[in-house]
Amino acid sequence: MKKILITGITGYIGGTIARKLLDKQYTVIGLVRNEDHTEELNAAGIETIVGSIHDEAVLQKAISGVDAFIHNADSADDAYAADSIVNALEGTGKTFIFTSGSAIFGGKENGERNDFVFTEDFPLQPRLEMASRVLINQHILRSARKNVRSIVIVPTMVYGEGLGLKKDSIQLPALIRFSKEKGFGTYFGKGENIWSNVHIEDLADLYVLALEKAKAGSIYYAENGSSTLKHLAEKISEQYALKAAQSVTVQEAVDTFGPAGGYFGFASNSLCSSDKARAELLWKPQHQSIEHYI
């Protein structure tokens, strides 16, 4: 298995996975929406196919020439793309690694703490707002019965410097920018809600291990540590010489980051365990502290 097709290859996660695969002598091909970054990608040793994830003819042709497909491009909530990819892969025995997101654990707690730790064995009953995301994951895992080597990876709060074109993640930089605008490290409500986190390079290593070792129909949660939003806010205040961390309302988070970002990205709990990835794939993450990174 040497030729790997990646969507979202100009993004934070996709670009870092691509770098790790290139380092292991895989051939990496990026499916990109336009030609804006093709020269940069080609210079990095990445082949490119220009086309839309929603063009089934493009998908079929791209998939026919590769051994595995890693889907990162705005993937967690796009049921149309997920279904098209499964249809294109059906019966091929090829690998499909899908990127989900750990907001599926969120209970819309509005900054209140919940210490429950999700494992892959625990049956999810997501809130309405995240139900489609869980259904997409299940649809992809069930494609294993149609001779697709399907794997779902669920990253938590990702931090660290990316190895591809995009260097920064979404959540933490957004919180830092918002805090700088306010003049103090910000958390929402009590800020006691907890998010598991994982360094971008450790996460990319997990994708490579899943590609090489995972069984069809497997799902893996990706974390190596956790922190409350209030603690992150305190670290941001300290690092950027801002005023002492303060609470702002969850409504302001919703107004600033949208409902998904406000209620789930910054005010819900998202706490899980990666024991399964460590045991089955022998994943050994090296980075342990999002606070140290800040």
Side-chain angles (χ1 to χ4, degrees):
M1 181 165 40
K2 278 293 179 183
K3 285 192 173 184
I4 316 299
L5 180 67
I6 301 179
T7 63
I9 202 159
T10 60
Y12 178 61
I13 295 175
T16 305
I17 295 167
R19 184 71 261 158
K20 294 279 187 176
L21 290 171
L22 288 169
D23 289 346
K24 296 197 74 174
Q25 307 305 310
Y26 285 92
T27 298
V28 177
I29 302 156
L31 179 61
V32 295
R33 279 181 283 233
N34 52 57
E35 297 182 357
D36 290 355
H37 297 288
T38 53
E39 284 188 22
E40 289 172 274
L41 292 169
N42 295 160
I46 297 166
E47 300 174 24
T48 52
I49 297 171
V50 178
S52 168
I53 195 76
H54 294 293
D55 186 326
E56 294 194 0
V58 169
L59 264 184
Q60 288 279 1
K61 185 176 180 182
I63 285 169
S64 68
V66 299
D67 302 299
F69 190 158
I70 301 177
H71 185 37
N72 299 291
D74 306 321
S75 59
D77 301 301
D78 191 339
Y80 294 95
D83 187 58
S84 294
I85 296 166
V86 166
N87 289 340
L89 286 166
E90 187 175 332
T92 65
K94 294 180 178 182
T95 299
F96 177 27
I97 302 181
F98 179 80
T99 304
S100 185
S102 70
I104 55 177
F105 310 136
K108 206 173 179 183
E109 291 97 344
N110 292 327
E112 298 281 348
R113 185 184 184 100
N114 187 326
D115 289 295
F116 185 79
V117 180
F118 285 88
T119 67
E120 294 87 348
D121 292 331
F122 189 82
L124 294 177
Q125 285 188 303
R127 286 188 54 88
L128 172 65
E129 299 93 326
M130 291 293 151
S132 63
R133 186 173 287 192
V134 173
L135 289 172
I136 291 168
N137 291 351
Q138 292 170 348
H139 179 71
I140 289 159
L141 294 173
R142 281 195 298 270
S143 71
R145 299 181 65 184
K146 299 178 178 180
N147 195 22
V148 178
R149 184 174 166 247
S150 55
I151 301 154
V152 173
I153 293 179
V154 184
T156 50
M157 183 182 288
V158 190
Y159 68 95
E161 184 175 330
L163 302 181
L165 299 184
K166 190 172 189 299
K167 302 300 182 185
D168 294 326
S169 61
I170 296 172
Q171 267 172 298
L172 187 57
L175 190 62
I176 291 169
R177 283 193 302 272
F178 186 66
S179 296
K180 286 179 175 178
E181 289 168 10
K182 286 289 188 182
F184 52 84
T186 52
Y187 54 92
F188 306 97
K190 291 181 181 177
E192 293 175 354
N193 54 305
I194 312 166
W195 265 78
S196 294
N197 53 64
V198 63
H199 191 279
I200 182 61
E201 290 197 49
D202 289 331
L203 177 61
D205 288 339
L206 178 57
Y207 278 80
V208 176
L209 287 168
L211 177 70
E212 295 175 343
K213 297 182 178 185
K215 295 176 182 177
S218 295
I219 184 169
Y220 297 99
Y221 297 164
E223 59 78 28
N224 192 38
S226 64
S227 184
T228 65
L229 263 288
K230 185 175 182 180
H231 194 197
L232 293 183
E234 288 167 348
K235 286 294 177 182
I236 290 168
S237 282
E238 183 182 311
Q239 175 61 29
Y240 295 97
L242 305 177
K243 294 176 186 173
Q246 296 179 40
S247 170
V248 300
T249 65
V250 175
Q251 184 60 52
E252 188 165 353
V254 172
D255 293 343
T256 304
F257 304 110
Y263 288 121
F264 289 92
F266 290 113
S268 278
N269 293 270
S270 181
L271 190 58
C272 64
S273 164
S274 283
D275 287 352
K276 181 182 176 185
R278 289 175 170 85
E280 290 188 4
L281 304 179
L282 303 181
W283 181 51
K284 297 175 182 176
Q286 302 299 306
H287 302 265
Q288 299 194 60
S289 175
I290 192 171
E291 288 90 353
H292 177 73
Y293 174 74
I294 292 172

